[in-house]
Amino acid sequence: MGGSSTDLGVGFLELEELGDEDRMLQSEAHRVAAEVLRPAARVLDAMAPADRVAPGSPFFEVMGTLKSLGYHRLFLPAEYGGPPEPLSPLAQALVLEELGWGSLGLTTAFLTDMLPFTSVAALGSDELKQALLVPWAEDEEGRFHGCWAITEPDHGSDFLGFREGADRSSMRSQLVATRQGYGWVLQGQKSAWVSSGPVATHAAVHAQAGPDGNLHHSFFAVVPLDVPGVRKGAPADMLGVRDDPQGEIFFDDVFVPDANVLIGSDPLYAVFGDQLLCVTSTTIAPVAVGVARAAFEEALAYARSRVQGGVPITEHKNIQLTLYAMFEKIEAARAYARQALAHVRRTSMAGPGGLLADPAHPPTGSSPRHSRAAQILAKRVAYEVAHDAVQVCGAFGLSRESLTEKLLRDARCLLVEDGTLEVLAFDAARDLVAHYETSDYDLEEVMARW
Ligand SMILES: Cc1cc2nc3c(=O)[nH]c(=O)nc-3n(C[C@H](O)[C@H](O)[C@H](O)COP(=O)(O)OP(=O)(O)OC[C@H]3O[C@@H](n4cnc5c(N)ncnc54)[C@H](O)[C@@H]3O)c2cc1C
């Protein structure tokens, strides 16, 4: 299958907004996605889990290429090697969609790599920035790799429901940090689902602060994984997103100096966690749109060439309507994903890498509901479109030869990755019920009229 892209993910309504620089950025990201990510992703997908993390694996080559091209610096402030002018939200979405089009797994690896280091950029001391952020930003070979160690064997969704109303104050984490001298000692483990866990050199770690702490008032630290007491589990063998190895991380009396703790054990953690989920939601949404677009383009290209009933199957009305429905869903998901990303970047973050409100755009309070909803819509659309793409391609769509088969497996994982759709929806629903402004409803007056 060709997999070439003609529309390049430009939503019709944004055509006029795109400047030359945005177009160049997008076209280069598409080239990288097509020439680097997608071929490597297909090789990795077919490899055994242990081989994917062994020296010489294409995974490391791809990460090194992305670093050599400076993709990890795109979202950093200029002072740490980021673009002279911060990327606009639209430009961010364009890049994320292209990378997602190339590979969900490798893009997940690219994003989780950034999480510990952009957190240091936003919240770390100058010393920590010099120690961790600068070497990572200057890396052009892929020597460092970050991961997000949040979920645990006993707490998956429990960690992803950040809105008030989700009572997590009685829940005990399986990773506990105990105060010791000028730092904390970590004891416990994170789940087998940590993306890039088996290859990570650094982790953004959520842990319960003290034996009496709980999930609601946890803390958040960046931990180098080459320190004594860190152990990795075997890479997991998953249905999809196989191009990003997942695996457990164990912490056995691992000392974390105070300087590495970015959010202490106070109520700020709940605010931080909520904002972090706004950021991850609006980051993964354009990636999911890229997955959907990849499936649509594969299906359209195949349908144009496949002849049944003496004509290309694109002549059959059912195929036309299916392709139309796919297109409509992608455009709607893309528009919402981009709006939500722009909103969250303006209201929840002080520019790229920041996590504090921008005084010029005070938070409106609607970021949580819109970020979750945009994420849910984009992921659902990715799954539905990938499902329909397989149907359009018939038996070929189910074969390992076809990209649609991989896209369907990857898109299925999206319904769980970074929070299940249901739990994300509960989070948004709590926000709506608690904060969405309506006029007062006088039920007694209504009943009196009956
Ligand atoms: C591809 C992929 C990548 C991932 N990457 C990472 C990563 O980088 N770092 C990391 O730490 N984790 C990662 N995860 C883990 C991911 O965050 C969790 O899988 C997800 O949050 C769900 O947790 P769980 O799998 O334990 O499911 P559970 O929480 O056990 O949920 C099981 C089912 O119960 C439902 N459920 C759970 N709680 C409730 C509730 N309160 N009310 C109603 N229904 C509920 C869920 O919707 C689901 O259907 C990844 C997972 C995947 C699939």
Side-chain angles (χ1 to χ4, degrees):
M1 300 292 292
S4 65
S5 170
T6 48
D7 279 348
L8 273 178
V10 179
F12 170 76
L13 298 173
E14 283 148 344
L15 273 175
E16 289 172 14
E17 281 180 47
L18 282 189
D20 288 347
E21 280 187 20
D22 288 339
R23 284 180 193 277
M24 274 171 54
L25 192 70
Q26 183 195 36
S27 141
E28 175 58 13
H30 185 73
R31 184 193 69 74
V32 171
E35 294 176 12
V36 180
L37 266 55
R38 191 175 273 189
R42 299 198 70 175
V43 173
L44 284 160
D45 180 56
M47 288 169 72
D51 295 340
R52 279 181 252 144
V53 300
S57 160
F59 179 86
F60 300 109
E61 205 181 316
V62 172
M63 291 302 135
T65 303
L66 290 175
K67 295 261 158 109
S68 71
L69 294 170
Y71 273 83
H72 62 309
R73 287 190 292 268
L74 274 183
F75 297 83
L76 281 181
E79 61 195 295
Y80 299 110
E85 288 297 318
L87 281 195
S88 69
L90 177 58
Q92 293 182 32
L94 291 170
V95 171
L96 292 168
E97 182 177 326
E98 292 313 317
L99 298 183
W101 179 94
S103 157
L104 174 61
L106 291 168
T107 305
T108 301
F110 166 72
L111 295 173
T112 53
D113 171 43
M114 287 200 293
L115 207 139
F117 302 98
T118 50
S119 299
V120 170
L123 302 163
S125 63
D126 286 344
E127 290 76 24
L128 196 63
K129 285 175 186 164
Q130 289 305 319
L132 296 185
L133 175 62
V134 170
W136 175 80
E138 289 176 350
D139 180 17
E140 304 243 309
E141 296 157 29
R143 285 183 295 130
F144 305 108
H145 198 97
C147 70
W148 185 25
I150 179 165
T151 61
E152 301 178 345
D154 288 355
H155 299 292
S157 302
D158 290 346
F159 259 111
L160 273 298
F162 277 108
R163 298 303 294 164
E164 63 252 63
D167 183 12
R168 298 177 301 144
S169 55
S170 60
M171 294 180 193
R172 305 279 174 238
S173 169
Q174 284 166 283
L175 183 64
V176 178
T178 308
R179 194 91 184 109
Q180 191 182 93
Y182 296 107
W184 298 78
V185 171
L186 289 176
Q187 180 67 48
Q189 75 167 101
K190 288 294 169 180
S191 78
W193 324 129
V194 175
S195 299
S196 305
V199 295
T201 59
H202 294 76
V205 175
H206 299 247
Q208 174 180 312
D212 300 325
N214 55 59
L215 254 58
H216 204 59
H217 288 170
S218 300
F219 87 173
F220 178 73
V222 174
V223 182
L225 298 177
D226 60 353
V227 294
V230 173
R231 191 165 48 87
K232 309 272 189 71
D237 199 2
M238 307 295 281
L239 171 79
V241 198
R242 294 168 60 85
D243 24 352
D244 185 15
Q246 291 173 260
E248 294 154 305
I249 306 178
F250 300 90
F251 299 86
D252 192 12
D253 284 340
V254 174
F255 183 73
V256 182
D258 278 335
N260 288 45
V261 179
L262 301 181
I263 299 284
S265 56
D266 53 38
L268 189 60
Y269 177 81
V271 177
F272 162 75
D274 192 33
Q275 288 214 357
L276 184 62
L277 205 53
C278 288
V279 173
T280 56
S281 292
T282 50
T283 303
I284 198 72
V287 175
V289 172
V291 173
R293 196 184 102 220
F296 168 74
E297 290 176 1
E298 287 297 309
L300 179 58
Y302 179 83
R304 282 177 173 147
S305 63
R306 175 71 174 162
V307 174
Q308 286 297 286
V311 293
I313 59 171
T314 44
E315 295 296 311
H316 299 307
K317 292 283 177 264
N318 56 324
I319 299 291
Q320 289 177 6
L321 287 177
T322 302
L323 290 168
Y324 166 74
M326 293 158 95
F327 163 80
E328 184 191 82
K329 286 177 183 175
I330 293 168
E331 289 291 320
R334 174 187 289 138
Y336 196 11
R338 290 183 182 175
Q339 288 283 340
L341 186 148
H343 179 73
V344 165
R345 294 301 187 271
R346 277 198 305 268
T347 59
S348 303
M349 306 176 74
L355 282 163
L356 303 171
D358 178 350
H361 298 93
T364 62
S366 59
S367 296
R369 73 184 72 129
H370 286 300
S371 61
R372 300 328 180 252
Q375 175 181 190
I376 291 166
L377 177 66
K379 286 174 161 182
R380 193 189 296 129
V381 162
Y383 180 63
E384 289 174 3
V385 168
H387 185 271
D388 286 350
V390 168
Q391 193 69 10
V392 167
C393 295
F396 176 71
L398 293 165
S399 74
R400 296 273 179 196
E401 282 297 304
S402 157
L403 181 62
T404 51
E405 177 266 350
K406 177 180 186 296
L407 291 169
L408 179 59
R409 285 186 286 112
D410 286 349
R412 182 62 188 83
C413 293
L414 268 177
L415 307 188
V416 175
E417 180 175 354
D418 287 345
T420 65
L421 291 204
E422 304 89 305
V423 166
L424 292 168
F426 286 146
D427 230 28
R430 280 192 202 103
D431 177 42
L432 286 174
V433 171
H435 300 297
Y436 193 102
E437 284 184 23
T438 59
S439 55
D440 289 340
Y441 197 86
D442 189 344
L443 190 58
E444 277 184 23
E445 193 268 332
V446 173
M447 296 302 281
R449 280 194 265 128
W450 281 67

